[in-house]
Structures are given as C-alpha cells and as structure tokens.
Amino acid sequence: MEQRKYKTKQEVLIRGQEAVGKTLGEIDKTGRIATGKGAVGTVIEESWFGYKPNSKPAPDFEEAGVELKVTPYRQTPRGILAKERLVCDMLNYEEEYGKTFETSAFWTKCACMLLMSYEHKDGVPKVDFTIDKAVLFQFPDEDLEVIRNDWKVLMDKIKAGQAHLISEGDTMYLAACPKGRNSQDTRSQPFSPIPAMKRAYSLKSSYMTQILRRYIFGDEPCEKIIKDPAALRSTSFEDWFSAKVRPYTGMSRTELKAQLDVKTNAKNLNELLVSAMLGVKGHLSKTEEFQKAGIQLKAITVEVDGSIEQNVSFPKMDFCAMMNETWEESTLYNLLAPTKFLFVIFQKTEDGECYFQRIKFWNIPADDLEEVHRVWQRTVDTLREGVHIWKDASGRNRNNLPKASESRVAHVRPHGRDSTDTAPLPTGGSMTKQCFWLNNSYVAEQIKEV
C-alpha cells in the first residue's frame, strides 16, 4: 500500500474505524504478523495506514497530530484487563531533563492517540485476533495533572543523578519501563557516571485497563478521590492525600469511628476509616485514582515493641510458567516493580487500643528490587534443578526454596489452603502451592519515620 497522508484527526479516526471487525490476518499484506513481538502494531501501520514505521519524534500522523497505538486486552472474571503497559517513546536521559512537559518526547508523541484495541486469547493465532474498537483519546484534565507530576518525578531523579534508581513504582500513571534486553542494557545519564537502565515512557497497565473500560467500552466511572483537578496543580496526589488525613493523627479507632460516623468493626476497618477521612463513600481500592495507578492498600498495625505481623504476599506461583520467564518480563517483576503501595499505619498500645499514626506511599527501591531479583533467580534455578522436599522432626514438610533468613527483603513460603493444595513442578511431581513474600521485618523497616 502506497504512503498516504492524513491531514486531520477525523481522517485518521475514520480510517481506523474501517478496520473494526477485520482480523489481523485480513489486514496483513506483508507477512509481518509472523515476525514476533511488536508485529501487531507494525501490521496496522504498514498494511492498513500505508506508512513505514519510523523512530521520528513526531506523532505517526504528523499533520493530524495523532499517534497510533494498538492495545490488547484480556476478558477475565474481573472484567476487561489491559494485557500490558502501553509503551510511548524512549526516555533520553541526556536530553529530556532540559525540556518542559509540553516539549517532552512523551507529550510530543502522545498528546492525542488513536487507540485501536483487540482481545488477546491464549492459544489463538495472531492472525485471528480481531480489531474491535478505534477511538481518539486525549487525556482528561484530572489525569493530565497526575501525569505532569509523574513526568516531574522522573526529571527530578535525572537531575539528581539518580536515573539508575528510577523504578516504575515511582510514579502513578506515566512510568519509565525497562526497554533494553536486560538490566545490563544501559545508557549514560548527564549528572552521574553510573550507567542507567535503558527505559521508555509508558502508561501503566493499570491505567490502560481503566482507559479501555471507561473510554473504549463505556463502563461507568468509579468514585473519584479528587473532585477538582485544579487541586493537583500545585501539589502531588500523594502530598494532597497526606495533608487530608494528617488532622486525624493520634486519634484512636474508637474516636475515629465516632467522629467519622463509621458503624462497623469489619476486618477492613482501617481502610474504611481512611476512606471516611477523605469523604470517600466506598472503598479506597475501588476509586478511580487507585484503580488507574494500581495502588495496593496495606493496613499495618505496629505492635507495642515496634514489630509488625504482616508480610506482604503476592499471588501463587505457576512453577512451570516461571521456567520461560525473564526477570524483566516475569510475573513477580510486573506485580512488584510498577506498584505503589499505600501503607495505613496504626500503633497499638499496651491497653490494646490502636491509634492512627500516619499513611505512607511506598514503592520498592531499585536496590531492593534487585535483591528480589536475586531471590527470584534462586527460586527459578531451584525449580529447574529440582526442589528437595523432606519432613522435619515434627513431621512438617520442608524444602530448599529461599527462606526469610536468606534475604532481608523477600522469601518464598506456602500459600495453599493446606498441604493437599498443590501445583505441578517442571521436573515432575508436585508440591504445596508457594508464593513470594516481602519479609515483615523488611516492611517494618520501610514504614519507619525518617
């Protein structure tokens, strides 16, 4: 197909919508669909819109001011979920810090996007995937304020000579995702001699899930924490949130329940109390901002001696699937690296009452993420070589997967219903289902006041 010019947003949209209902096999005229990762977007570019993929800083349809993005999703029992983050453009440490948000590579490319979606089905050939929607998307004002601050967080790290410490969890919606072959694929940074991992601007998969649900499939919006986007023009979401709950510091749960008119002793009482502090009627975890940012709320009670009981756990491992993963594309990495946690911290006193101490937004530091990488790699190596299982003197099953005593950050331990809840091993046989945990002693370190 010969190169075609699209001069207006409407022309781009009309052409995109003409692809709805067509399979990728019907669209592909070059055989590009068989070339591997990234092939779907290239097929749409070349065979449908008639232009050659390029690395120019301008949007794909330069005259129209529109960037083309093809995004897959899955249908799950929890509804539509974006299959992956949306990668936008490379982050050039040497150049980006000197720009404004409006002149950044991200905004230059993605201020307006044609989003074309298709459902990914495991076991179905790519040629049979069908384009089902094509919409023009521009960021709503409330999202744009958060994204501006995300961009500033990334630029501040570069200016501080900390590009090598950037993590996807540093930000809410706009992240800097790994874009090299592995963690050793690096580039220089301007304010430090330490090489930094090659990264690209991306929209988190949690954000893309909400964009798909709301703007492509028309779901009703979730309850918002921030009612007026202007509230974030001079502060970050995290600082705004902290300021709202600060007046309640030092109050007991009994006092908070009375003042906030919370009439329950439910297991998630601490979450409900913080929701009430913010004027949120439902659960914090169900609000628009928490859903878009993928924020995980963890209520933590600090014991009288300063210890905590709570470990932070992750979903059960698929032992066999782990054999085919790399660290940067592993299930654990994608559950931990992009995630921002909200720790809601209560202090227990000797009389048994709990007092609201503070909240803390947290994401795992880059160095500690590398330690989790080590634990993950040892787990994979052990699974590959064959797990050793034996009974101790008390008759309990033991194994040689990583223990809490081996790492200050993370370990592996069972997460099944009981000893009969098992999963197959790659070397044959099965064992009790396991998952990765952040050590409770490590979490206690992270929530200490500085």
Side-chain angles (χ1 to χ4, degrees), residues 87-213:
V87 178
C88 301
D89 200 23
M90 293 304 299
L91 173 52
N92 187 323
Y93 304 125
E94 300 284 357
E95 296 179 0
E96 282 295 285
Y97 75 91
K99 298 180 180 180
T100 64
F101 176 75
E102 285 73 19
T103 60
S104 67
F106 165 74
W107 192 246
T108 299
K109 274 269 192 184
C110 297
C112 179
M113 296 183 285
L114 177 72
L115 295 180
M116 298 179 69
S117 63
Y118 65 92
E119 182 182 356
H120 177 94
K121 298 178 181 178
D122 291 335
V124 174
K126 285 182 183 176
V127 291
D128 293 329
F129 292 157
T130 302
I131 300 297
D132 51 26
K133 299 281 184 178
V135 300
L136 283 175
F137 175 77
Q138 292 175 279
F139 296 95
D141 289 344
E142 60 266 30
D143 292 3
L144 194 51
E145 295 303 331
V146 175
I147 287 169
R148 283 177 184 276
N149 188 70
D150 288 341
W151 183 82
K152 181 178 181 298
V153 167
L154 297 175
M155 296 308 108
D156 286 348
K157 275 208 162 180
I158 294 171
K159 291 174 186 177
Q162 296 178 347
H164 58 291
L165 298 180
I166 287 174
S167 170
E168 290 180 85
D170 291 338
T171 49
M172 295 271 288
Y173 304 165
L174 176 67
C177 69
K179 198 58 176 146
R181 295 180 299 277
N182 52 50
S183 60
Q184 306 309 309
D185 193 356
T186 59
R187 54 173 51 182
S188 63
Q189 57 172 311
F191 301 106
S192 170
I194 302 172
M197 186 186 297
K198 193 174 178 182
R199 291 183 178 273
Y201 288 115
S202 65
L203 296 169
K204 291 188 179 185
S205 59
S206 55
Y207 183 77
M208 289 308 301
T209 290
Q210 297 309 310
I211 297 310
L212 284 162
R213 290 179 179 180

Side-chain angles (χ1 to χ4, degrees), residues 41-95:
T42 305
V43 165
I44 300 296
E45 289 173 327
E46 288 184 329
S47 294
W48 191 253
F49 283 99
Y51 71 89
K52 293 290 183 185
N54 60 73
S55 57
K56 293 194 300 185
D60 294 321
F61 308 104
E62 190 169 356
E63 289 186 55
V66 178
E67 175 76 0
L68 172 66
K69 291 296 180 186
V70 184
T71 184
Y73 64 89
R74 297 180 189 272
Q75 291 276 9
T76 77
R78 293 184 292 146
I80 286 170
L81 294 178
K83 180 177 176 288
E84 57 201 26
R85 61 175 78 89
L86 187 72
V87 178
C88 301
D89 200 23
M90 293 304 299
L91 173 52
N92 187 323
Y93 304 125
E94 300 284 357
E95 296 179 0

Side-chain angles (χ1 to χ4, degrees), residues 407-422:
S407 169
R408 60 175 279 272
V409 179
H411 66 282
V412 174
R413 79 167 190 262
H415 204 314
R417 295 184 303 276
D418 52 42
S419 60
T420 65
D421 190 9
T422 62

Side-chain angles (χ1 to χ4, degrees), residues 300 302 306-310 343 345 358 360 438-449:
I300 292 178
V302 181
S307 66
I308 66 170
E309 291 185 2
Q310 294 94 336
F343 294 135
I345 305 161
R358 67 191 186 282
K360 180 174 182 176
L438 295 181
N439 302 347
N440 58 355
S441 56
Y442 172 73
V443 176
E445 279 179 34
Q446 303 310 304
I447 65 171
K448 283 180 181 174
E449 290 188 274

